[in-house]
Amino acid sequence: QVQVVESGGGLAQAGGSLRLSCAASGRTGSRYSMGWFRQAPGKEREFVAAISWNGGSTHYADSVKDRFTISRENAKNTVYLQMNSLKSEDTAVYLCGVQVYNGNYPDRLASYDYWGQGTQVTVSS
């Protein structure tokens, strides 16, 4: 069983920054990838960023590339999402996914086995 908890969301002005954290616990094993998705009201959940088990490979949606940075600290079983130059369209619930089984596509929902409850990010203009 795996538990996933996100934190760090809040209110920011356009152009500001926030840092999200995702902590995984339980029987994750050693090689687990993690990713961030977001879901705005009335919209589908969309991919934001992902990172491989050793941090050697990262992927970003075009909409956040060069603004967001994903990283991980395995000793703490934690992944971070540094969000800079925030825009109003970044407003959403941000969810963290954990992949403990085989998966080939980090930008697809089906690649992740466990999810957190989400943390709200609101960007005002």
Side-chain angles (χ1 to χ4, degrees), residues 5-20:
V5 180
E6 305 96 335
S7 62
L11 177 65
Q13 292 185 334
S17 299
L18 286 172
R19 189 191 192 198
L20 307 184

Side-chain angles (χ1 to χ4, degrees), residues 1-5 22-28 34 77 98 114-116:
Q1 190 174 2
V2 175
Q3 295 79 44
V4 185
V5 180
C22 174
S25 62
R27 305 176 73 175
T28 59
M34 299 179 72
N77 295 318
V98 177
Y114 301 94
W115 295 91

Side-chain angles (χ1 to χ4, degrees), residues 99-123:
Q99 179 206 120
V100 298
Y101 305 109
N102 291 334
N104 296 320
Y105 304 97
D107 60 338
R108 296 183 180 181
L109 291 170
S111 294
Y112 298 87
D113 305 297
Y114 301 94
W115 295 91
Q117 295 288 324
T119 184
Q120 177 70 47
V121 171
T122 302
V123 183

